[in-house]
Amino acid sequence: KTELFSRVVAVEFPRKGVWCIGFVTGGGMKRIIDGKEVELLSIIVPTAPSPLTGFLILLPREDTVSMNMTVEEALRMVISDGVITPKCVIDESKK
């Protein structure tokens, strides 16, 4: 079985301060930045309601935040435009 997306991350996109759900599609690419080698992840930032279209971005691993949700939960969230939100990301104190 081949998985299209390996894990869910949050990334600042399209600018700092705006966070999006992203799916890691690959890694291992290296780039020299400021004299040190940095691993870049390839991440698809999906457009709603069709998560198979979106933007391919390359980010250093340290610029991503791993999300505590499955790929299926994140896909449901994207397809529903955020109406269906996994319990793991809901702040119960805000209810």
Side-chain angles (χ1 to χ4, degrees):
K1 177 180 173 185
T2 302
E3 290 185 22
L4 183 60
F5 308 129
S6 64
R7 63 188 175 91
V8 182
V9 294
V11 296
E12 287 187 290
F13 180 84
R15 64 174 179 78
K16 293 281 187 192
V18 175
W19 290 87
C20 291
I21 295 283
F23 299 99
V24 177
T25 59
M29 293 191 307
K30 306 282 187 200
R31 172 142 190 236
I32 304 297
I33 300 173
D34 296 329
K36 69 175 187 174
E37 190 174 75
V38 176
E39 180 185 2
L40 298 175
L41 297 178
S42 56
I43 299 167
I44 181 100
V45 176
T47 54
S50 177
L52 296 178
T53 61
F55 300 91
L56 174 64
I57 60 174
L58 303 173
L59 285 178
R61 180 181 297 276
E62 60 268 8
D63 290 347
T64 66
V65 176
S66 291
M67 297 297 290
N68 184 25
M69 68 174 76
T70 66
V71 169
E72 291 79 14
E73 289 171 327
L75 285 170
R76 278 195 288 276
M77 186 174 171
V78 170
I79 291 168
S80 73
D81 290 325
V83 173
I84 300 172
T85 305
K87 291 183 186 213
C88 61
V89 298
I90 297 173
D91 184 351
E92 295 296 328
S93 67
K94 303 289 184 195
K95 283 188 170 182

